[in-house]
Amino acid sequence: MATLISHSPEETEALGEKFGRAVRPGWVIALSGELGAGKTQFVKGLVRGLGVSARVHSPTFTLVAEYDGGRLKLFHLDLYRLETRQQILSAGVEEYLQPDGVAVIEWAERMAEVWPDTDWKKVRIETLNDTDREIIYDDFGA
Ligand SMILES: Nc1ncnc2c1ncn2[C@@H]1O[C@H](COP(=O)(O)OP(=O)(O)OP(=O)(O)O)[C@@H](O)[C@H]1O
Ligand SMILES: [Mg+2]
């Protein structure tokens, strides 16, 4: 585990970008942290680090967004609306746990109990104040 204090959206994005350069096929990155913590900000960097130039939004209503054209294909999931175990099971999340490429999942705490044995890289963002975030993350080998 490593810890970083981010003082700006750009610093959070920069950590995502480093992940994007280091990710290997099949990785699942589990993002947790409250509303507005910076999960999507992190994904913006991740997308860039993979070499994709695309705009990134939380796929809150569509469950998953796919980004092609980078070093690896990226699936971006947002589980915010899936509150119960049953909703998670029926949404089709499971296929992204062994992605053909890389998966990054916002609100991953929603599924931690449903698939406790999943091997993923955890990234937790704690909001300290308006601009500061504590980011605790599994080492990713960069
Ligand atoms: N150090 C920081 N890191 C990340 N975001 C920051 C930071 N400081 C301020 N912000 C602001 O916090 C907000 C983070 O929004 P973002 O959409 O990334 O959050 P989120 O965790 O994805 O929220 P949601 O759960 O709604 O999807 C942005 O408005 C960003 O500008
Ligand atoms: Mg988001």
Side-chain angles (χ1 to χ4, degrees):
M1 295 289 254
T3 301
L4 169 89
I5 303 292
S6 162
H7 303 285
S8 67
E10 291 73 25
E11 282 183 41
T12 299
E13 212 175 309
L15 179 65
E17 191 171 349
K18 281 191 199 164
F19 262 85
R21 288 196 294 261
V23 281
R24 310 302 315 156
W27 278 21
V28 178
I29 301 171
L31 299 180
S32 59
E34 63 190 48
L35 279 171
K39 300 179 292 296
T40 301
Q41 204 72 45
F42 178 95
V43 175
K44 285 180 183 171
L46 181 68
V47 164
R48 199 168 63 208
L50 279 165
V52 183
S53 57
R55 294 187 58 174
V56 174
H57 305 280
S58 273
T60 310
F61 293 97
T62 51
L63 183 68
V64 60
E66 284 185 37
Y67 300 93
D68 288 304
R71 184 168 65 78
L72 296 164
K73 185 171 184 149
L74 178 69
F75 302 94
H76 178 196
L77 285 79
D78 187 329
L79 308 185
Y80 180 64
R81 298 196 160 268
L82 304 179
E83 286 170 7
T84 67
R85 180 186 178 87
Q86 197 49 51
Q87 284 171 338
I88 288 183
L89 286 170
S90 55
V93 176
E94 194 167 10
E95 65 179 286
Y96 298 104
L97 300 185
Q98 290 177 309
D100 174 21
V102 176
V104 62
I105 306 179
E106 297 194 36
W107 290 95
E109 54 269 60
R110 295 261 195 273
M111 59 189 285
E113 288 166 24
V114 181
W115 293 290
D117 298 330
T118 305
D119 178 24
W120 47 32
K121 306 278 179 202
K122 293 201 199 73
V123 177
R124 195 172 85 240
I125 309 178
E126 303 279 358
T127 302
L128 302 179
N129 57 43
D130 278 1
T131 55
D132 297 337
R133 306 288 189 268
E134 181 176 34
I135 309 181
I136 302 115
Y137 57 96
D138 284 328
D139 293 318
F140 56 90

